[in-house]
Amino acid sequence: MTEPPAQDPTSATAPTGPGGARATDEREAGPPAGKPTWHALLELIALSGLGVAQPLLDVIGRSPDFFFFHGAGAVAVLALVAIVVLLPPALLWGVELLAGLLAGAVVRRWAHRVLLAGLATLLAVQAGKSLTDLRGPLLMVVAAVAAVAAVAGYARFAVSRQVLRVAAVGPLVFVLLFVFASPSSAVFLGRGAAEMSVRSTGPHPPVVVVILDEFPLLSLLDEQGELDADRVPSFADLAAGSTWYRNATTVSGKTTSAVPAMLTGRYPAGAVTPHYSQYPENLFTLLGPVYEIEAWENVTQLCPPEHCRGRPGQARGSLQVMLRETAGLYGQLISPTDSLDDPTASFREPTVADEVRANDKDPQAGPDFRMSRLTENQPARFTEFLGSLQPAETPTLHFLHLLMPHSPWTYLPSGMRYHGPGGLPFDGTWWSRLAHQRHIEQVGYTDLLIGEMMRTLRSSGLYDDALIVVTSDHGVSFSQDVSGREMDAEFKAAPELAWVPLFVKEPGQRVGRIDDRNWEHVDLLPTVADHAGVAVPWRTDGISATGEPRQTTDKRFDDQPGEPMTVDGPVHFAAVRAGSGAYPVWPPLPAADLIGTAVADLTVTGVGPTATVANLSAFGDVQAERGLLPALVHGSLPDTVPDGAPIAIAVNGTVGTVVQAARDGEGRLRFVGLIPDEDLFVPGANELELFLVTGDGGAVSAQRMPTS
């Protein structure tokens, strides 16, 4: 017998209640009671598109450096987009289907509403962070209430369900905008650079260009404004045979603008994707017709495929890695608190050991437990670059952009690494001081790498004849209240942000000299071109250092690309010349003179509050042959500890550092301290002790803090 057709609950003939109002039944409040329909999937696609796909595609679409850093091609990017757009609604729909199979249609309908409420909550959290000042648990409560109200409206009104189903077209729109209109579209749409006609003007020596990252000149200087040869001996060695352009400044605090300015000779014109299709006239296309190019870029892709073959390191960014990074990004977006992480903080140079593990090979440890592992700790990109530094019959450009000493700061000067918590604040007296200390330690390791490069250049025979350029794309400020890479209106941190190291060893140069001309980083391309014997066929804003210096003394700095600010050059250069004693400035650290003191010599007056040490287990079995030390000690404190209280951290009976109790962005009282003295650690079990320091001056005493 043929069953009558199911009645449409939205039709005019649907049952009505008193007063003519249509009765609400289960069929109106969600998918029909029978087999699952596509309506449920369309609704999940729509809401997932708004709460998951759109915010993620918006962020990564504006960050092509994310894909350049991971060496991702169009296929990998499309796979990532497909997963972001399709996987969440597919998984949620699968949950609904399973609920229906196990418990029936009614449970499936309620599961659908719960899932919609969850997606609506995620969307409401993001909207609340954007539109209100609410944060933390209160924001979560408000978002959840709003989501429940929205789902109640969905269940009550048919029009809301119809609108939601129509909105399922949204993810397709988001994907089209990502592929064709976002800055990341260059990954898909970029064309090869046009062949350039180059006019030779002289001999073509080997050219070596090393661009370091997030590296203020002040980090190399002592308190008299001279190179600190004791702390950075390799940079001092480099300066002894090259020209140190001491008054060199970047034109942008953003790598994606600063590096193109250096390699094109032009000031930033706006937020342009750092891709060869957008910058067809650059150092690589200029030298490409004459030079072989060995290039390791990082968060740019200015060298076109016709001049630069792919690098093993550029393939390290597997889809799995990008998915992990994207998941972390989404965690920040939906967090009810403001994210403390700089999105580029995840851009870490993979080590040699990382690359070996990625290729399913076992690292081989040598007889010297430290040096063998320190070699593995070396950035893989740098190791590949060193291997290219060999004489060749054809003139060669050796180019390296290295994320050193860029955060995350994880290296001690020897090359030993340490792990630390992510998301630490950057603002505040203690947090700025800690960030600067970790940065300076990583500068020491960067110096070690420069020493390796210098030894390789000399042993290979390239050094004497080569043009060698070592510089940084931009600086970074650690000064309180102006920390980071953005210039404030009063230029308080200009000496840290704008002034960068720049050393140029000309072919045949053997004696070092200092040149204080007003160098801006748009001068790099014309200077390299002159030394490389190639004429630049396009107009540049920069001028070659082989000619007369520019007559102006002010500096251009684009805090936002294409929005220049004028910085008083002489005033801030004078601050640089004053040395690292001038920047950054913090109040004296209480009890700092306890560092290096034996625990036996402390005046211990009793037992203080308990400290929770997050990485306490790492001290139970220290194996330096792994190339790792628990040098960053961190954890939480009870509120009975006063804010700013000094805490001495001792390892094996000696105070290794003194930290201050400080609150993070979520209001938690924490302690984080770096112990740079590797000699305090021993193989195997190490004793960690914490002391709450009290008193002042000669009357300093301490309370032993139990740890858990």
Side-chain angles (χ1 to χ4, degrees), residues 7-26:
Q7 188 176 30
D8 182 358
T10 63
S11 68
T13 59
T16 59
R22 183 167 46 86
T24 301
D25 62 18
E26 287 294 340

Side-chain angles (χ1 to χ4, degrees), residues 109-134:
R109 285 196 301 273
W110 279 103
H112 182 68
R113 297 176 193 174
V114 170
L115 294 177
L116 290 181
L119 289 172
T121 300
L122 298 180
L123 180 60
V125 167
Q126 297 173 70
K129 288 170 65 175
S130 176
L131 302 175
T132 73
D133 294 328
L134 295 178

